[in-house]
Each structure stands twice: as structure tokens, then as C-alpha cells.
Amino acid sequence: MAAFFAPERLETDAFTLRCYLPGDGAALADATTSSYDHLRPWMGWASADQTVTQSEELVRRFRADYLVNADFVLGIWAPDGSALWGGTGFHRHGGVERGVAEIGMWIRADRAGRGLGTAALRAVLGWGFDAWPWERLAWHCDERNTASRRTAEAAGMRHEGALRGDVPEVGEGRRTTLVYGLTRADV
């Protein structure tokens, strides 16, 4: 495979997807801490007290990983860039040259339930097969996360199965993970 330089931004009328940049820590801290109760059941990384400094360290790590094709974490921003509405990205499974990634996503609490997740997922899928080398994109979610299930289904992803006892839940026990997928041949 020839050298791959990941595209850094996709602008739509409704939102902008872009990689994080130094200086985005305050926006990430605000979005995640204000949405802690909303995110906590599904996102083990959510913290009620993540500081701006901790968030700035994260966005700089996200940026470094992006530049070396290690992981592709994106923010979902208001069209004018004034607010972070959520996060998404392509998380590699075996390298860019393998052509497979899992899409992750979270939406801040005050933007949830309005179709933003579905619109962002549709944009990510289209972009992933148009401007990226992905041959297969996957979506994994806890079977109890009905919003995530609906998002994958509304965006046209195919339910492929369930992984029982897959990963530890946030809290105690293990969860069943639903797997959705889409291949380049499907679109």
C-alpha cells in the first residue's frame, strides 16, 4: 500500500467532523463532563471530573496517533466550530493496510436524541468508503444501548451477530456486544 495520509476534516451543512487539534482540550472537557451521566452507562472512559489539562493531554495524544496512522479519533463539531457536540472515529483493527476499522461514537447529552448520531454515522460511513482505504467498517454496542442500536440500523449497517460475555460492563459483569458491519461492496 502506498503511503496514506488521513483526511483531517469533513464539512457538512449540519456539522463538521475533524481530528482534534492542540487547544481543543477545554471543549472536550466541557462536552464529556457535562454529559457524564448520559455517557457513564456505555463509555467506561467517561469521567465526571476530567480537567481541561487532562483533556488537553488526550487531544494531543489523539492528534499524534492521527498523524502516524495509529488511530483516527474525530470530534463532531458545530458547523462554525464553536462547540464540540460529540466524538467519533475510525479505530483500526490490524493496520490501515488491512482495510478494517471499527467506528466509535458518543454524543453529548444536550445534543442527543435529535438525529445527530445517525447523520454523523452516515457521513462517517460515506467518507470512510470514499476518502479512506476502508473495505469494512464495524460498529459495536452494548445490546442494552437502544440508541446506539437504532443509530447503526438507521444508517444502514447490517446486524451481523452478538458476542455474549464479550467485555466487562461499566460496573460489574460482562456485556453482550452487538456487531454491525458494512463493506465497500455493500454501498
Side-chain angles (χ1 to χ4, degrees):
M1 173 182 212
F4 174 68
F5 300 102
E8 297 194 9
R9 122 182 341 264
L10 175 68
E11 294 182 15
T12 75
D13 291 339
F15 53 84
T16 297
L17 301 174
R18 71 163 172 83
C19 64
Y20 286 94
L21 300 171
D24 287 340
L28 180 60
D30 175 63
T32 58
T33 59
S34 68
S35 301
Y36 174 70
D37 290 332
H38 171 70
L39 298 173
R40 180 182 49 166
W42 319 116
M43 305 293 179
W45 52 260
S47 171
D49 57 0
Q50 185 169 309
T51 68
V52 171
T53 299
Q54 290 168 325
S55 295
E56 185 64 26
E57 288 174 10
L58 277 174
V59 300
R60 288 171 183 252
R61 190 172 327 118
F62 294 158
R63 178 68 176 154
D65 287 346
Y66 208 97
L67 291 173
V68 298
N69 292 345
D71 197 24
F72 304 101
V73 180
L74 301 157
I76 304 169
W77 296 85
D80 63 1
S82 63
L84 179 63
W85 289 349
T88 188
F90 300 108
H91 308 297
R92 299 174 327 129
H93 288 271
V96 173
E97 58 281 348
R98 187 165 172 241
V100 177
E102 179 184 339
I103 298 171
M105 186 177 294
W106 61 273
I107 302 296
R108 68 182 291 153
D110 63 1
R111 303 298 303 182
R114 301 190 217 174
L116 175 62
T118 300
L121 180 55
R122 285 180 178 144
V124 167
L125 289 166
W127 193 35
F129 291 125
D130 180 47
W132 295 72
W134 307 126
E135 295 297 326
R136 173 182 165 70
L137 292 170
W139 177 274
H140 294 182
C141 65
D142 187 309
E143 71 176 344
R144 297 166 301 157
N145 189 340
T146 56
S148 187
R149 292 167 70 169
R150 283 192 306 260
T151 297
E153 291 163 1
M157 297 192 82
R158 296 180 181 182
H159 181 246
E160 297 178 332
L163 305 172
R164 295 175 298 117
D166 181 36
V167 294
E169 288 184 32
V170 176
E172 295 182 25
R174 297 187 76 80
R175 78 175 195 192
T176 295
T177 300
L178 299 181
V179 178
Y180 292 85
L182 206 59
T183 68
R184 184 177 296 276
D186 294 331
V187 295

